[in-house]
Amino acid sequence: MSRHTPTARARLDDVPGPRLGEPLPRFTSAGTAGLPEATRRWLRHAIAEGTPLHRSAALTMHGEIRIGSWRPFTARQLIVPGSAFVWQARTAILGLPVRGFDRYVDGVGEMRWRLAGVVPVLSAQGDDVTRSAAGRLAGEGALVPTAFGVATWTADRDHDAFVGRWLIDGDEHGVRFEVGPDGRLRRVTMDRWGDPDGRGHALHHFGVTVDAEATFHGVTMPGRFRASWWAGSEPEEEGEFFRATITDASFS
């Protein structure tokens, strides 16, 4: 597949994963020494001692997405933090199925959705889509805490926050994590490229609020969460467009 050629269909196995046969180190609390205190708190809460430091996650989820009005969806997603993701989903409009994908693979972002498998609903690719998808990839590093070694971590002035930075195809993306005293992840925020108001692409403050956790195979991640544009400002409620519950996860 060419780096700049759109495809009609994205597969989860389009996402590059770790090389087969390469042994994974295991998590130890001692291995977080030198990281900011709030980062250590999060990782020790999110990863059970001795858990392999997986580099990718395959997730199953359901929820609601706002396309004009709120619509239920089901989805599968593969994430390799700092590298790639594919999110395949299904919803409905006027009772007709809509299937498609959002993805960032090989340095290219793309969205492609069809009604009843035939009628194009949305097809988008280009620099703006790629930049926005790369920002999404950085934020979703919170879903694979075992891949924390891909990012760099710095302290925040707030004792209960820290910043993760991912270098994605030459561009740095910073994400602020807010955690509780027990290390539970409460919220992530970032400045993300997008066009939520239809006025042209620009940086907007973007946030994900974690309402509940889920634990799979020794990894605790956001299990129920909401995503919004204009995080921390009055229009945030209007900017909410995504609500999801993760029902299963596997790692590699």
Side-chain angles (χ1 to χ4, degrees):
M1 180 180 63
S2 167
R3 182 178 173 89
H4 297 291
T5 301
T7 60
R9 182 171 176 266
R11 300 171 301 170
L12 293 180
D13 59 9
D14 287 337
V15 177
R19 289 175 292 180
L20 293 176
E22 185 177 346
L24 293 174
R26 293 182 178 269
F27 179 77
T28 65
S29 296
T32 65
L35 296 178
E37 188 278 330
T39 310
R40 298 197 307 272
R41 201 189 321 157
W42 169 57
L43 292 173
R44 292 171 182 176
H45 172 78
I47 311 172
E49 198 80 7
T51 299
L53 292 178
H54 304 290
R55 300 171 188 172
S56 65
L59 309 176
T60 302
M61 66 183 75
H62 65 81
E64 295 178 296
I65 188 168
R66 190 158 71 177
I67 307 173
S69 60
W70 286 101
R71 305 177 190 277
F73 75 83
T74 58
R76 295 179 64 215
Q77 181 170 11
L78 185 59
I79 310 169
V80 184
S83 177
F85 77 85
V86 171
W87 185 74
Q88 292 179 327
R90 174 176 177 166
T91 184
I93 295 178
L94 299 177
L96 295 174
V98 176
R99 298 182 181 89
F101 63 84
D102 294 353
R103 72 178 191 170
Y104 182 91
V105 177
D106 292 335
V108 175
E110 183 182 1
M111 298 183 290
R112 190 173 289 264
W113 297 86
R114 292 183 180 275
L115 180 69
V118 178
V119 181
V121 174
L122 173 65
S123 296
Q125 194 180 33
D127 291 344
D128 288 325
V129 174
T130 292
R131 185 173 175 183
S132 183
R136 170 177 171 172
L137 174 61
E140 291 185 344
L143 294 170
V144 195
T146 50
F148 70 90
V150 175
T152 58
W153 305 93
T154 56
D156 187 87
R157 286 180 292 182
D158 183 340
H159 175 71
D160 291 325
F162 55 92
V163 176
R165 301 184 188 279
W166 282 262
L167 188 63
I168 300 174
D169 290 301
D171 294 323
E172 186 178 84
H173 298 264
V175 181
R176 186 175 186 266
F177 288 59
E178 300 173 23
V179 296
D182 59 356
R184 172 178 170 169
L185 184 61
R186 292 175 169 173
R187 186 168 166 88
V188 296
T189 54
M190 63 185 299
D191 290 328
R192 181 181 168 195
W193 194 253
D195 184 19
D197 54 9
R199 299 179 182 178
H201 281 79
L203 285 174
H204 298 271
H205 206 49
F206 178 85
V208 175
T209 301
V210 179
D211 295 316
E213 294 181 315
T215 301
F216 305 96
H217 309 292
V219 180
T220 298
M221 64 174 68
R224 191 173 73 247
F225 51 90
R226 299 168 280 129
S228 304
W229 294 99
W230 309 305
S233 65
E234 188 174 336
E236 179 175 359
E237 184 175 348
E238 178 186 345
E240 185 177 328
F241 67 94
F242 186 81
R243 302 166 181 165
T245 298
I246 295 177
T247 55
D248 196 17
S250 60
F251 303 91
S252 59

